[in-house]
Amino acid sequence: MQPPPTDGEASKPAAPAPSPLSIDGVPLRSAEEVARFLSVPYGRMIYTLYKSPDKARYRGFEIPKRSGGMRLIQSPNGLLREMQEKLGPVLQAAYEAHPAAHGFIKTRSVVSNARLHVAQRLVLNIDLEDFFPNVNFGRVRGIFMAPPFSCAPAAASVLAQICTHRNGLPQGAPTSPALSNLASATLDRRLTRLAKENGLRYSRYADDITFSSNHSQFPPAVAIFTEDGKKGLAVRPGEALERAIAAAGFSINLRKVRLQPRHVRQAVTGLTVNAAPNVERKRIRRVRAMLHAWAKFGAEAAGAEHLLKYRGAHSPGEQSARAFRNALYGELAYIKMVRGQEDRIFLNLCAKVLELDPNPSRFIRQMVFGADDYDVFISHASEDKDEIARPIFEACGRAGLKAFLDEAHIGWGQSFTQKINSALGAARTVLVIVSSTSVSKDWPVLEVNTALQFEAAGQKKVVPVIVGKPDLSRLPLLSGKDGMVWSGDADAVATRLQAAVKGDAPRRPERGAAKPPARAAPPQPPPRAAGRPGRTAVPVTAPRGPRRGFWSWLFGARPR
């Protein structure tokens, strides 16, 4: 039994946490140790940092700003990128996120930043001048010398050289987001204190600073009105606010100070906050215009026009189509993040995308179906569940496959039809259990025929498991398919599914290749589901006309 600590021992401060930039628990002390920590040759590191030309270390290009104009992105190359990619996660993990900071933090976003200022009477927006370039070499070196890194001056100098370019943080470097937040820690503390003293709300997303209030006017310490000969009254930051920002090593872009009352559109980091965080209407209109151009002119022509309009660049056909799709999918991802994956506008836009691009990437499928992006959909009759479907489902889990089985994924109160249809649409591989029971029931036959038509269009892989000697007259598309015979070995079926998922997944046809056959409409089900006892949901209905697309086929009704 250990004796109790003496008063002197009890009063000793706790040992500091080890530096995240250390070797054997000792913070980095020299350039050689930095190279060793990053697992790169010392000579190559020194040459890259101090002798190689700028063009060899960074590639510069411009992208449009949300507020207009162009933003210079400096993307690191070669060994420099490799070193920054190793440092980036270390820096991010070491940053203890301030409650007011929302940029470049995994669990926060422009939505969390905007949500703080919803339904406020007054919203004040301020941009910092040259935010990334203002975090210069000396400040970055100081960050590495201070806790929690506590590196020696020689090592801190090399680390700062790795992370800066032309005496500032380069936009486009993997290390810049975390370092900008670390450099802004003092700023966040000062502005949070100022906000509390004046009864305001404060948040920061990178260089965008927002204060909001439910008072009838802003306190003069934060914002004051001045006479502007051209515009009448103009708002400018108060003296206390300017002092706090200057003391933290930053400056205000006076051209971007905006005070927004409740009766106009209040925007925070590009989102409307009058009632709830929401995207601008013009963004929705732009996405609809992109979809219309794709449908009318094709992806290549629409992409060329899009690049010319928004980036002033000409691009050849296939390249412009790829860039156009990426831009469109990016817009959809943004709308989903803000409005949610159940939002009707988002789902309607996705429906149109899927009609134009019926075999999209896994990224877009995950946007549409969310977590329900299954590797395998298991189609079966209820009578085959206990002895066949459930053992295969469990074997898929052991094999690392995400399989859909109705009893495992449809909870109480959830729409049976919607869950079945969305899972069938999301899965790229469909296991169909074909037995004498399943071929005699409408619902399993409908599922199998729908899956086979997807396969005919090059969108899915169907793996049949034949149980006994069923009558296949209701499943003519199964004739001649190489199916498995059920022997009771569920693990063997899972192994076959692994091969289908990893190696035999359907691919988009090559340019010039013959197009897949047009999809036939799935068979019209009876008015009520007769296949599985106790289920009254109506499955996918047959399309009424040739213009019904993927969404209407899959979900049974055209979204409005």
Side-chain angles (χ1 to χ4, degrees):
M1 185 174 179
Q2 296 292 331
T6 64
D7 290 342
E9 291 174 338
S11 62
K12 288 182 180 179
S19 168
L21 296 174
S22 63
I23 295 176
D24 298 329
V26 179
L28 302 180
R29 296 167 293 186
S30 64
E32 290 85 352
E33 289 189 355
V34 172
R36 181 181 165 195
F37 179 84
L38 297 175
S39 301
V40 298
Y42 172 73
R44 282 191 63 203
M45 180 185 78
I46 295 301
Y47 176 83
T48 298
L49 295 180
Y50 299 102
K51 296 183 178 180
S52 63
D54 278 358
K55 291 182 179 180
R57 290 187 290 133
Y58 285 93
R59 178 176 63 91
F61 58 93
E62 293 183 331
I63 61 173
K65 290 183 179 180
R66 184 181 68 244
S67 57
M70 303 300 289
R71 185 187 306 278
L72 176 63
I73 301 298
Q74 295 168 319
S75 177
N77 295 321
L79 183 65
L80 184 61
R81 169 168 285 279
E82 180 183 333
M83 293 189 290
Q84 290 182 357
E85 287 177 343
K86 290 178 179 178
L87 278 174
V90 177
L91 301 178
Q92 192 66 52
Y95 172 62
E96 295 183 7
H98 190 279
H102 292 264
F104 318 123
I105 299 170
K106 188 174 182 180
T107 57
R108 306 178 194 177
S109 65
V110 292
V111 180
S112 64
N113 182 60
R115 192 176 290 124
L116 183 68
H117 305 286
V118 166
Q120 295 292 291
R121 180 174 290 182
L122 296 169
V123 175
L124 177 70
N125 299 113
I126 295 172
D127 281 13
L128 299 179
E129 186 87 48
D130 296 328
F131 178 63
F132 282 93
N134 266 336
V135 183
N136 58 28
F137 177 90
R139 295 179 72 174
V140 174
R141 182 173 180 266
I143 289 171
F144 284 121
M145 292 173 63
F149 304 111
S150 304
C151 294
S157 296
V158 174
L159 290 167
Q161 187 70 25
I162 292 172
C163 298
T164 59
H165 178 55
R166 295 178 180 173
N167 199 30
L169 291 181
Q171 294 193 59
T175 48
S176 294
L179 285 171
S180 70
N181 276 334
L182 287 163
S184 302
T186 301
L187 175 70
D188 289 331
R189 288 193 296 268
R190 290 177 179 272
L191 296 189
T192 297
R193 188 183 308 119
L194 180 65
K196 288 182 178 180
E197 291 171 353
N198 290 275
L200 305 175
R201 299 182 178 188
Y202 160 71
S203 70
R204 179 184 62 84
Y205 189 97
D207 59 345
D208 289 342
I209 289 174
T210 305
F211 292 93
S212 63
S213 171
N214 260 330
H215 300 304
S216 58
Q217 56 183 306
F218 251 70
V222 179
I224 57 176
F225 287 97
T226 59
E227 289 291 338
D228 187 321
K230 296 180 180 179
K231 300 180 181 179
L233 286 178
V235 66
R236 62 162 296 141
E239 184 179 349
L241 176 59
E242 283 192 302
R243 283 201 312 267
I245 292 177
F250 295 97
S251 59
I252 299 173
N253 184 343
L254 296 177
R255 300 185 304 277
K256 294 185 177 180
V257 179
R258 307 172 303 283
L259 184 63
Q260 304 166 108
R262 181 178 292 169
H263 64 271
V264 303
R265 176 182 175 268
Q266 296 172 322
V268 175
T269 47
L271 300 181
T272 302
V273 295
N274 294 72
N278 199 1
V279 297
E280 294 182 85
R281 292 179 182 177
K282 66 180 182 181
R283 183 183 289 268
I284 302 294
R285 290 195 293 267
R286 182 166 66 244
V287 173
R288 286 173 174 158
M290 292 172 72
L291 290 168
H292 175 75
W294 187 352
K296 187 172 183 180
F297 304 109
E300 293 184 1
E305 178 67 21
H306 181 84
L307 289 175
L308 185 62
K309 179 177 180 180
Y310 290 100
R311 299 193 183 181
H314 295 275
S315 182
E318 186 62 30
Q319 185 177 348
S320 67
R322 182 167 59 252
F324 182 73
R325 284 190 179 92
N326 290 341
L328 181 59
Y329 291 162
E331 292 283 359
L332 287 172
Y334 185 82
I335 294 169
K336 175 188 175 183
M337 177 185 69
V338 178
R339 298 181 66 97
Q341 66 179 15
E342 302 298 329
D343 178 71
R344 174 172 286 274
I345 289 178
F346 166 72
L347 291 175
N348 287 349
L349 293 172
C350 285
K352 294 175 182 177
V353 171
L354 291 172
E355 291 181 3
L356 294 167
D357 191 8
N359 189 25
S361 66
R362 185 179 183 88
F363 170 73
I364 189 67
R365 289 187 292 111
Q366 285 179 330
M367 282 203 301
V368 178
F369 300 107
D372 296 342
D373 185 28
Y374 300 100
D375 295 314
V376 178
F377 178 94
I378 301 176
S379 173
H380 65 95
S382 56
E383 290 80 359
D384 298 323
K385 181 181 297 181
D386 293 339
E387 294 186 3
I388 306 173
R390 190 178 297 124
I392 292 175
F393 173 74
E394 294 169 353
C396 286
R398 292 192 295 271
L401 296 174
K402 186 177 180 182
F404 175 88
L405 183 65
D406 50 9
E407 69 173 12
H409 293 101
I410 302 179
W412 177 259
Q414 291 182 309
S415 168
F416 172 75
T417 306
Q418 183 177 357
K419 290 290 289 186
I420 287 286
N421 289 339
S422 63
L424 181 58
R428 304 302 292 274
T429 303
V430 181
L431 175 77
V432 295
I433 299 173
V434 184
S435 66
S436 298
T437 303
S438 68
V439 298
S440 67
K441 298 199 169 187
D442 293 312
W443 191 293
V445 169
L446 176 61
E447 285 180 351
V448 175
N449 276 325
T450 301
L452 288 168
Q453 289 151 10
F454 275 120
E455 184 180 51
Q459 297 168 26
K460 296 190 186 300
K461 179 72 175 179
V462 175
V463 178
V465 173
I466 309 298
V467 183
K469 296 182 178 180
D471 178 9
L472 300 181
S473 60
R474 297 186 67 188
L475 299 169
L477 293 178
L478 272 182
S479 300
K481 278 193 67 67
D482 181 22
M484 298 183 67
V485 176
W486 174 247
S487 63
D489 188 351
D491 290 310
V493 176
T495 301
R496 170 71 180 273
L497 290 171
Q498 271 187 319
V501 169
K502 294 179 180 179
D504 298 333
R507 301 178 183 271
R508 185 186 304 279
E510 299 293 334
R511 285 176 60 86
K515 293 184 178 181
R519 293 175 297 196
Q524 178 69 33
R528 303 185 74 83
R532 299 185 183 180
R535 292 173 178 167
T536 59
V538 179
V540 187
T541 58
R544 296 181 180 178
R547 292 186 62 82
R548 297 292 293 274
F550 178 84
W551 187 276
S552 57
W553 178 25
L554 189 60
F555 287 88
R558 179 181 290 277
R560 291 182 173 81

